[in-house]
Amino acid sequence: MSRMDDSPLSQWMYVLLACIALILLNTQAATIPITIVETATAKGAVCLDGSAPGYHLEIGSGSGINNWLVHMEGGGWCEDIETCLSRKNTYKGSSNKMDKTMGFSGILGSKQSSNPDFYNWNRIKIRYCDGSSFTGDVATVDPKTNLHFRGERIWQAVIDDLLAKGMNKARNAILSGCSAGGLAAILHCDKFASLLPASARVKCVSDAGYFIHGTDISGGSYIQSFFGKIVQTHGSAKNLPSSCTSRMKPELCFFPQYVAQTMKTPLFLINSAYDAWQLRNILAPSAVDSKGSWKSCKLDLKKCSAAQLQIVQGYRMQFLRAIHTGIGSSTSKGLFINSCHAHCQSGSQVTWLSDKSPVVRNTKMGKAVGDWFYDRSPIQRIDCEFPCNPTCVKVDSDS
C-alpha cells in the first residue's frame, strides 16, 4: 500500500465507497412508483388527512407471475387526537407527503441471489398512513381536526385493488409487515387468506410485530394502557379478530399472543427477543423511567448495568412465554427469534440474506422463511441469550 493510501483524503474515499457499496447491497434503485388508490376516497378509505392511500407494486415474472407478497409498512401508532394531529401532515398521515418512488430490498428484493424464494413474485409495499395498524374505522370526522380514522377501510381498499389486478388468481401468497405493519399482518392474516382462492398456499410473516403484553420496570403494564388508547381512538374493536374479542377485552386483542392462539392461517414470526422498540417502550417506557436511568441501557445493551441486564434477560423470558402462549405446540407456525438488539430485519438485505446476516442454529432469516413457506422444513429457531451470538455484531452496531 502506498503512502497516499494512508492519507486522510484517501481514507475518506474508502469510507465513502464502503457506504455506497452498503447502500447498493441494501436496496435496489428507488424506481418503483407509488400507486394512489383514487377509488378508495369514495369508500372513505383515506389517510389521517383525508388523502387517498397508496402502495408500491413491482410486477412478478416467470414462475412468480401468480405469486403475491403483500408487505405492510410500519411506523408506530397515534393513540389520541394530539399524536394523530402530529402525524397528519407527514408521510405517516398523508399520501401527499409520501415519496413518489421507492426501492425494495430484503424480503421484497428482486435479485435471485439474495432473495431466491420470492424475487420474481408480485411484490407490494402498502404505505402506512392511518396510525392504527390498519384497524381503525370511525365514520364521523370532527371538522375541527379533520382527522380520519379509517385504517381498516384502507387495508380493504388496497387489497380489493390488488385482487382486481390478478391477486384473485394467486397460487401462492404472503401477507407480511414490519413493526406496526407486522402486527397488522397478524391481525389481518385469516381475513387475507379468506379472500384468496381456496387452492392457494397462503401464509403470513410478521417481522418485529409480536408486541407482548409485558410487565415494565415499575411492575405495571404501560403498554396495555397505550394499546387501549389506540383501540379507543380509532374505533378498532369491531375490526380486531372476533375469535379473540369474543373471549377478552378488545385492547388485549391488539396483542399478538392472544390473537395467534386461534389463528387458522400459518404464521411465521421474525423477532428479536431483545427487540429494540420493545425494550424502549414496553420494558422501560419514558413515562415509567421518569429519571432516565434506563436511557443508555435501552440504546445499547452493552451499557446496561449488571442489575439492568438481569432485568433485560427477564424480559426475554417474558417474550418467550408470550411466544409459547401464542403458538403453543403448533407446527404450522414458524419462528426466527434471534438475540440481536434490533427492530425490523426482513426489509434489509444485510439482515435478510447476505454474508453478514445473523444466523440462528446455522440458518439465516431469508432461508428460514423460504424453507417454512414451501414446507421444505419446519422452522422454529430460538437464539441463545445476549450477547451469545457473534453474527449479531453488524445488526447491533446499526440499531
Side-chain angles (χ1 to χ4, degrees), residues 26 71 105-108 177-179 205-209 269-276 336-354 356-360 364-366 369 383 389 391-392 394-396 399:
N26 210 35
H71 185 86
S105 62
I107 193 171
L108 293 173
C178 156
S179 192
V205 176
S206 172
D207 175 13
L269 301 177
I270 298 168
N271 229 103
S272 169
Y274 303 89
D275 183 275
F336 189 91
I337 310 299
N338 62 26
S339 59
C340 307
H341 186 218
H343 182 68
C344 284
Q345 301 177 71
S346 67
S348 165
Q349 197 56 61
V350 171
T351 44
W352 175 248
L353 192 61
S354 75
K356 298 181 180 180
S357 296
V359 174
V360 180
K364 295 181 179 180
M365 184 185 306
V369 174
D383 210 351
N389 191 336
T391 66
C392 282
K394 175 58 184 173
V395 180
D396 291 340
S399 65

Side-chain angles (χ1 to χ4, degrees), residues 172-209:
N172 294 289
I174 292 175
L175 181 68
S176 71
C178 156
S179 192
L183 172 59
I186 294 173
L187 298 178
H188 292 84
C189 183
D190 283 344
K191 184 175 182 181
F192 179 72
S194 73
L195 297 172
L196 297 175
S199 59
R201 178 195 278 116
V202 183
K203 301 184 180 184
C204 301
V205 176
S206 172
D207 175 13

Side-chain angles (χ1 to χ4, degrees), residues 288-341:
V288 174
D289 181 31
S290 57
K291 296 181 179 180
S293 60
W294 277 78
K295 185 176 180 180
S296 295
C297 174
K298 290 187 293 185
L299 295 177
D300 184 349
L301 296 186
K302 293 185 290 295
K303 295 182 179 179
C304 296
S305 68
Q308 287 174 326
L309 188 57
Q310 186 175 2
I311 293 171
V312 168
Q313 301 294 15
Y315 187 82
R316 173 181 179 268
M317 295 310 299
Q318 286 193 63
F319 183 84
L320 295 181
R321 284 194 294 271
I323 290 285
H324 180 72
T325 296
I327 73 168
S329 59
S330 173
T331 56
S332 70
K333 294 182 172 69
L335 298 174
F336 189 91
I337 310 299
N338 62 26
S339 59
C340 307
H341 186 218

Side-chain angles (χ1 to χ4, degrees), residues 85 88 140-148:
L85 282 173
K88 178 182 172 185
T140 304
V141 177
D142 186 342
K144 294 179 181 179
T145 63
N146 196 38
L147 283 171
H148 298 72

